[in-house]
Short mmCIF file of all heavy atoms in Angstrom, two decimals:
data_model
loop_
_atom_site.label_atom_id
_atom_site.label_comp_id
_atom_site.label_asym_id
_atom_site.label_seq_id
_atom_site.Cartn_x
_atom_site.Cartn_y
_atom_site.Cartn_z
N LYS A 1 19.54 -16.86 -18.82
CA LYS A 1 19.28 -15.47 -19.04
C LYS A 1 17.80 -15.16 -18.85
O LYS A 1 17.44 -14.18 -18.23
CB LYS A 1 19.73 -15.11 -20.53
CG LYS A 1 19.67 -13.67 -20.82
CD LYS A 1 20.27 -13.40 -22.24
CE LYS A 1 20.35 -11.92 -22.48
NZ LYS A 1 20.92 -11.64 -23.81
N LYS A 2 16.95 -16.05 -19.43
CA LYS A 2 15.52 -15.86 -19.21
C LYS A 2 15.13 -16.01 -17.77
O LYS A 2 14.32 -15.28 -17.24
CB LYS A 2 14.77 -16.88 -20.11
CG LYS A 2 13.27 -16.74 -20.12
CD LYS A 2 12.60 -17.72 -21.08
CE LYS A 2 11.16 -17.47 -21.13
NZ LYS A 2 10.52 -18.40 -22.06
N TRP A 3 15.75 -16.96 -17.10
CA TRP A 3 15.49 -17.21 -15.65
C TRP A 3 15.88 -15.97 -14.86
O TRP A 3 15.09 -15.53 -13.99
CB TRP A 3 16.27 -18.41 -15.18
CG TRP A 3 16.10 -18.61 -13.72
CD1 TRP A 3 16.89 -18.23 -12.72
CD2 TRP A 3 15.04 -19.33 -13.10
NE1 TRP A 3 16.35 -18.59 -11.49
CE2 TRP A 3 15.22 -19.26 -11.74
CE3 TRP A 3 13.89 -19.92 -13.57
CZ2 TRP A 3 14.33 -19.84 -10.82
CZ3 TRP A 3 13.00 -20.50 -12.67
CH2 TRP A 3 13.24 -20.43 -11.35
N ARG A 4 17.02 -15.40 -15.09
CA ARG A 4 17.43 -14.19 -14.36
C ARG A 4 16.49 -13.03 -14.61
O ARG A 4 16.17 -12.26 -13.65
CB ARG A 4 18.85 -13.81 -14.73
CG ARG A 4 19.89 -14.72 -14.15
CD ARG A 4 21.32 -14.25 -14.35
NE ARG A 4 22.26 -15.21 -13.89
CZ ARG A 4 22.98 -16.02 -14.63
NH1 ARG A 4 22.85 -15.96 -15.98
NH2 ARG A 4 23.78 -16.92 -14.11
N ALA A 5 16.01 -12.94 -15.82
CA ALA A 5 15.06 -11.80 -16.14
C ALA A 5 13.75 -12.04 -15.32
O ALA A 5 13.21 -11.04 -14.81
CB ALA A 5 14.74 -11.78 -17.61
N LEU A 6 13.25 -13.22 -15.29
CA LEU A 6 12.06 -13.54 -14.49
C LEU A 6 12.26 -13.30 -13.00
O LEU A 6 11.49 -12.74 -12.32
CB LEU A 6 11.61 -14.99 -14.73
CG LEU A 6 10.94 -15.26 -16.03
CD1 LEU A 6 10.77 -16.76 -16.22
CD2 LEU A 6 9.61 -14.53 -16.18
N ASP A 7 13.46 -13.72 -12.50
CA ASP A 7 13.79 -13.49 -11.11
C ASP A 7 13.82 -12.01 -10.75
O ASP A 7 13.30 -11.61 -9.71
CB ASP A 7 15.16 -14.16 -10.81
CG ASP A 7 15.43 -14.24 -9.33
OD1 ASP A 7 14.52 -14.44 -8.52
OD2 ASP A 7 16.64 -13.98 -8.94
N ILE A 8 14.36 -11.19 -11.63
CA ILE A 8 14.41 -9.71 -11.40
C ILE A 8 12.98 -9.19 -11.35
O ILE A 8 12.59 -8.36 -10.53
CB ILE A 8 15.24 -9.09 -12.46
CG1 ILE A 8 16.70 -9.41 -12.27
CG2 ILE A 8 15.00 -7.56 -12.52
CD1 ILE A 8 17.65 -9.02 -13.38
N ARG A 9 12.15 -9.63 -12.34
CA ARG A 9 10.75 -9.13 -12.36
C ARG A 9 9.99 -9.51 -11.09
O ARG A 9 9.21 -8.76 -10.55
CB ARG A 9 10.00 -9.70 -13.60
CG ARG A 9 10.39 -8.98 -14.88
CD ARG A 9 9.69 -9.52 -16.07
NE ARG A 9 8.22 -9.37 -15.97
CZ ARG A 9 7.29 -10.13 -16.57
NH1 ARG A 9 7.71 -11.08 -17.35
NH2 ARG A 9 6.08 -9.91 -16.41
N ILE A 10 10.19 -10.78 -10.61
CA ILE A 10 9.49 -11.25 -9.38
C ILE A 10 10.01 -10.40 -8.18
O ILE A 10 9.19 -10.00 -7.42
CB ILE A 10 9.78 -12.77 -9.19
CG1 ILE A 10 9.06 -13.57 -10.27
CG2 ILE A 10 9.37 -13.22 -7.84
CD1 ILE A 10 9.46 -15.00 -10.37
N THR A 11 11.31 -10.24 -8.11
CA THR A 11 11.83 -9.48 -6.98
C THR A 11 11.29 -8.04 -6.99
O THR A 11 10.92 -7.49 -5.96
CB THR A 11 13.40 -9.47 -7.02
OG1 THR A 11 13.79 -10.84 -6.96
CG2 THR A 11 14.01 -8.76 -5.91
N ASP A 12 11.25 -7.41 -8.17
CA ASP A 12 10.80 -6.08 -8.28
C ASP A 12 9.30 -5.96 -7.94
O ASP A 12 8.89 -5.05 -7.22
CB ASP A 12 11.01 -5.50 -9.72
CG ASP A 12 10.74 -4.01 -9.80
OD1 ASP A 12 11.26 -3.30 -8.94
OD2 ASP A 12 10.02 -3.61 -10.75
N ALA A 13 8.50 -6.95 -8.33
CA ALA A 13 7.07 -6.95 -8.03
C ALA A 13 6.89 -7.14 -6.56
O ALA A 13 6.01 -6.49 -5.89
CB ALA A 13 6.33 -8.06 -8.82
N ALA A 14 7.69 -8.02 -5.88
CA ALA A 14 7.58 -8.20 -4.47
C ALA A 14 8.00 -6.92 -3.71
O ALA A 14 7.36 -6.52 -2.72
CB ALA A 14 8.50 -9.35 -4.00
N ASN A 15 9.02 -6.27 -4.16
CA ASN A 15 9.46 -4.96 -3.55
C ASN A 15 8.34 -3.89 -3.69
O ASN A 15 8.12 -3.13 -2.77
CB ASN A 15 10.76 -4.52 -4.15
CG ASN A 15 11.93 -5.35 -3.70
OD1 ASN A 15 11.87 -6.03 -2.68
ND2 ASN A 15 12.99 -5.34 -4.49
N GLU A 16 7.75 -3.84 -4.88
CA GLU A 16 6.66 -2.90 -5.10
C GLU A 16 5.52 -3.15 -4.10
O GLU A 16 5.02 -2.23 -3.47
CB GLU A 16 6.13 -2.97 -6.49
CG GLU A 16 4.96 -2.03 -6.81
CD GLU A 16 4.31 -2.15 -8.13
OE1 GLU A 16 4.56 -3.23 -8.80
OE2 GLU A 16 3.63 -1.25 -8.58
N ALA A 17 5.09 -4.44 -3.99
CA ALA A 17 3.99 -4.73 -3.09
C ALA A 17 4.38 -4.44 -1.68
O ALA A 17 3.55 -3.86 -0.91
CB ALA A 17 3.63 -6.21 -3.23
N LYS A 18 5.57 -4.73 -1.26
CA LYS A 18 6.03 -4.45 0.12
C LYS A 18 6.00 -2.96 0.39
O LYS A 18 5.53 -2.47 1.44
CB LYS A 18 7.43 -5.00 0.34
CG LYS A 18 7.98 -4.75 1.76
CD LYS A 18 9.33 -5.38 1.88
CE LYS A 18 9.93 -5.08 3.28
NZ LYS A 18 11.32 -5.53 3.37
N ASP A 19 6.54 -2.17 -0.53
CA ASP A 19 6.58 -0.70 -0.39
C ASP A 19 5.17 -0.11 -0.30
O ASP A 19 4.83 0.74 0.50
CB ASP A 19 7.34 -0.09 -1.56
CG ASP A 19 7.70 1.36 -1.39
OD1 ASP A 19 8.48 1.65 -0.41
OD2 ASP A 19 7.27 2.19 -2.21
N ASN A 20 4.32 -0.58 -1.21
CA ASN A 20 2.92 -0.09 -1.28
C ASN A 20 2.15 -0.42 0.02
O ASN A 20 1.38 0.44 0.54
CB ASN A 20 2.18 -0.59 -2.49
CG ASN A 20 2.79 0.01 -3.74
OD1 ASN A 20 3.52 0.99 -3.71
ND2 ASN A 20 2.40 -0.58 -4.87
N VAL A 21 2.35 -1.65 0.49
CA VAL A 21 1.66 -2.02 1.76
C VAL A 21 2.11 -1.13 2.93
O VAL A 21 1.32 -0.65 3.69
CB VAL A 21 1.94 -3.51 2.11
CG1 VAL A 21 1.54 -3.86 3.53
CG2 VAL A 21 1.14 -4.43 1.16
N LYS A 22 3.42 -0.87 2.94
CA LYS A 22 3.98 -0.01 3.98
C LYS A 22 3.30 1.37 3.95
O LYS A 22 2.86 1.86 5.03
CB LYS A 22 5.49 0.09 3.87
CG LYS A 22 6.17 1.09 4.81
CD LYS A 22 7.61 1.12 4.62
CE LYS A 22 8.00 1.97 3.41
NZ LYS A 22 9.40 2.23 3.25
N TYR A 23 3.23 1.96 2.82
CA TYR A 23 2.67 3.31 2.73
C TYR A 23 1.17 3.31 2.95
O TYR A 23 0.61 4.22 3.55
CB TYR A 23 3.08 3.98 1.42
CG TYR A 23 4.53 4.40 1.42
CD1 TYR A 23 5.44 3.79 0.62
CD2 TYR A 23 4.91 5.44 2.26
CE1 TYR A 23 6.79 4.20 0.63
CE2 TYR A 23 6.23 5.84 2.28
CZ TYR A 23 7.16 5.22 1.46
OH TYR A 23 8.48 5.59 1.47
N LEU A 24 0.48 2.31 2.41
CA LEU A 24 -0.98 2.27 2.59
C LEU A 24 -1.37 2.00 4.04
O LEU A 24 -2.38 2.52 4.51
CB LEU A 24 -1.58 1.25 1.66
CG LEU A 24 -1.54 1.61 0.19
CD1 LEU A 24 -1.92 0.47 -0.68
CD2 LEU A 24 -2.42 2.83 -0.13
N TYR A 25 -0.50 1.24 4.75
CA TYR A 25 -0.79 1.09 6.22
C TYR A 25 -0.67 2.41 6.93
O TYR A 25 -1.40 2.67 7.90
CB TYR A 25 0.25 0.14 6.84
CG TYR A 25 -0.33 -1.27 7.08
CD1 TYR A 25 0.38 -2.36 6.55
CD2 TYR A 25 -1.52 -1.50 7.72
CE1 TYR A 25 -0.13 -3.63 6.72
CE2 TYR A 25 -2.01 -2.78 7.89
CZ TYR A 25 -1.32 -3.85 7.41
OH TYR A 25 -1.82 -5.12 7.52
N SER A 26 0.21 3.30 6.51
CA SER A 26 0.34 4.60 7.11
C SER A 26 -0.94 5.45 6.97
O SER A 26 -1.13 6.39 7.72
CB SER A 26 1.59 5.36 6.61
OG SER A 26 1.35 5.84 5.30
N LEU A 27 -1.75 5.12 6.01
CA LEU A 27 -3.03 5.86 5.77
C LEU A 27 -4.19 5.38 6.67
O LEU A 27 -5.19 6.08 6.82
CB LEU A 27 -3.48 5.78 4.30
CG LEU A 27 -2.60 6.35 3.25
CD1 LEU A 27 -3.23 6.12 1.91
CD2 LEU A 27 -2.48 7.83 3.45
N GLU A 28 -3.99 4.21 7.21
CA GLU A 28 -5.12 3.54 7.86
C GLU A 28 -5.72 4.43 9.01
O GLU A 28 -6.96 4.52 9.11
CB GLU A 28 -4.62 2.22 8.49
CG GLU A 28 -5.71 1.23 8.73
CD GLU A 28 -5.18 -0.17 9.12
OE1 GLU A 28 -4.01 -0.23 9.60
OE2 GLU A 28 -5.85 -1.13 8.77
N LYS A 29 -4.92 5.07 9.79
CA LYS A 29 -5.47 5.90 10.84
C LYS A 29 -6.26 7.08 10.35
O LYS A 29 -7.10 7.61 11.06
CB LYS A 29 -4.36 6.34 11.82
CG LYS A 29 -3.35 7.28 11.20
CD LYS A 29 -2.23 7.57 12.19
CE LYS A 29 -1.14 8.37 11.53
NZ LYS A 29 0.02 8.55 12.34
N TYR A 30 -5.98 7.46 9.15
CA TYR A 30 -6.69 8.61 8.52
C TYR A 30 -7.96 8.16 7.83
O TYR A 30 -8.95 8.94 7.82
CB TYR A 30 -5.79 9.37 7.53
CG TYR A 30 -4.53 9.94 8.19
CD1 TYR A 30 -3.32 9.34 7.88
CD2 TYR A 30 -4.62 10.99 8.95
CE1 TYR A 30 -2.13 9.87 8.46
CE2 TYR A 30 -3.45 11.55 9.59
CZ TYR A 30 -2.26 10.97 9.33
OH TYR A 30 -1.11 11.49 9.92
N TYR A 31 -8.03 7.00 7.26
CA TYR A 31 -9.19 6.59 6.51
C TYR A 31 -10.16 5.78 7.40
O TYR A 31 -11.32 5.62 7.01
CB TYR A 31 -8.95 5.94 5.20
CG TYR A 31 -8.29 4.61 5.19
CD1 TYR A 31 -8.89 3.46 5.71
CD2 TYR A 31 -7.02 4.46 4.63
CE1 TYR A 31 -8.28 2.25 5.69
CE2 TYR A 31 -6.42 3.21 4.54
CZ TYR A 31 -7.02 2.14 5.09
OH TYR A 31 -6.45 0.89 5.06
N ASP A 32 -9.74 5.30 8.55
CA ASP A 32 -10.70 4.58 9.43
C ASP A 32 -11.92 5.42 9.80
O ASP A 32 -13.01 4.87 9.81
CB ASP A 32 -9.99 4.06 10.65
CG ASP A 32 -9.34 2.72 10.47
OD1 ASP A 32 -9.64 2.03 9.46
OD2 ASP A 32 -8.51 2.29 11.28
N PRO A 33 -11.73 6.71 10.08
CA PRO A 33 -12.98 7.55 10.39
C PRO A 33 -13.90 7.60 9.24
O PRO A 33 -15.10 7.83 9.46
CB PRO A 33 -12.35 8.92 10.73
CG PRO A 33 -11.00 8.66 11.16
CD PRO A 33 -10.50 7.50 10.38
N LEU A 34 -13.46 7.41 8.03
CA LEU A 34 -14.40 7.45 6.87
C LEU A 34 -15.35 6.28 6.94
O LEU A 34 -16.46 6.30 6.41
CB LEU A 34 -13.62 7.38 5.55
CG LEU A 34 -12.61 8.52 5.27
CD1 LEU A 34 -11.93 8.31 3.99
CD2 LEU A 34 -13.27 9.86 5.39
N TYR A 35 -14.97 5.22 7.57
CA TYR A 35 -15.82 4.02 7.69
C TYR A 35 -16.68 4.05 8.92
O TYR A 35 -17.75 3.44 8.92
CB TYR A 35 -14.92 2.74 7.74
CG TYR A 35 -14.27 2.40 6.42
CD1 TYR A 35 -12.97 2.76 6.17
CD2 TYR A 35 -14.96 1.67 5.47
CE1 TYR A 35 -12.35 2.38 4.99
CE2 TYR A 35 -14.40 1.38 4.26
CZ TYR A 35 -13.09 1.73 4.03
OH TYR A 35 -12.49 1.39 2.83
N SER A 36 -16.21 4.69 9.96
CA SER A 36 -16.91 4.60 11.29
C SER A 36 -17.57 5.86 11.75
O SER A 36 -18.24 5.85 12.77
CB SER A 36 -15.89 4.08 12.32
OG SER A 36 -14.82 5.04 12.45
N SER A 37 -17.41 6.98 11.05
CA SER A 37 -17.96 8.29 11.52
C SER A 37 -19.07 8.75 10.69
O SER A 37 -19.28 8.33 9.55
CB SER A 37 -16.85 9.33 11.53
OG SER A 37 -15.77 8.95 12.28
N ASP A 38 -19.80 9.73 11.26
CA ASP A 38 -20.83 10.40 10.48
C ASP A 38 -20.13 11.41 9.54
O ASP A 38 -18.96 11.74 9.79
CB ASP A 38 -21.84 11.06 11.40
CG ASP A 38 -21.16 12.13 12.27
OD1 ASP A 38 -20.67 11.72 13.34
OD2 ASP A 38 -21.18 13.28 11.88
N PRO A 39 -20.79 11.92 8.48
CA PRO A 39 -20.15 12.84 7.58
C PRO A 39 -19.54 14.07 8.24
O PRO A 39 -18.48 14.48 7.77
CB PRO A 39 -21.31 13.20 6.65
CG PRO A 39 -22.24 12.08 6.65
CD PRO A 39 -22.15 11.51 8.09
N VAL A 40 -20.17 14.58 9.27
CA VAL A 40 -19.57 15.81 9.90
C VAL A 40 -18.28 15.46 10.58
O VAL A 40 -17.30 16.20 10.51
CB VAL A 40 -20.60 16.43 10.90
CG1 VAL A 40 -19.97 17.58 11.65
CG2 VAL A 40 -21.84 16.88 10.15
N SER A 41 -18.23 14.35 11.23
CA SER A 41 -16.99 13.88 11.99
C SER A 41 -15.87 13.55 11.00
O SER A 41 -14.69 13.64 11.32
CB SER A 41 -17.28 12.72 12.91
OG SER A 41 -18.24 13.04 13.84
N MET A 42 -16.24 13.09 9.80
CA MET A 42 -15.22 12.74 8.81
C MET A 42 -14.39 13.90 8.37
O MET A 42 -13.24 13.77 8.02
CB MET A 42 -15.96 12.20 7.57
CG MET A 42 -16.48 10.83 7.62
SD MET A 42 -17.20 10.42 5.99
CE MET A 42 -18.21 9.09 6.48
N LEU A 43 -14.93 15.10 8.51
CA LEU A 43 -14.24 16.30 8.06
C LEU A 43 -12.89 16.47 8.74
O LEU A 43 -11.95 16.96 8.14
CB LEU A 43 -15.11 17.54 8.22
CG LEU A 43 -16.30 17.68 7.21
CD1 LEU A 43 -17.09 18.87 7.58
CD2 LEU A 43 -15.80 17.78 5.81
N ASP A 44 -12.82 16.09 10.04
CA ASP A 44 -11.59 16.22 10.77
C ASP A 44 -10.45 15.32 10.22
O ASP A 44 -9.30 15.66 10.30
CB ASP A 44 -11.82 15.90 12.22
CG ASP A 44 -12.77 16.90 12.90
OD1 ASP A 44 -12.90 18.01 12.39
OD2 ASP A 44 -13.41 16.52 13.93
N ALA A 45 -10.85 14.21 9.65
CA ALA A 45 -9.81 13.22 9.14
C ALA A 45 -9.32 13.64 7.76
O ALA A 45 -8.24 13.21 7.35
CB ALA A 45 -10.45 11.83 9.10
N ILE A 46 -10.04 14.42 6.99
CA ILE A 46 -9.75 14.63 5.56
C ILE A 46 -8.41 15.37 5.41
O ILE A 46 -7.55 14.92 4.60
CB ILE A 46 -10.84 15.47 4.87
CG1 ILE A 46 -12.16 14.61 4.84
CG2 ILE A 46 -10.46 15.81 3.46
CD1 ILE A 46 -12.11 13.31 4.16
#
């Protein structure tokens, strides 16, 4: 019973991380200009 509860928690945490990585990757094209552009050029990405 304890093992199954731990297995469920591990699976849920892995699913959360997978889901979050997927969505955060979708932001990459929008936040890359924040690292590589001047402040005026950043405005287009916001």
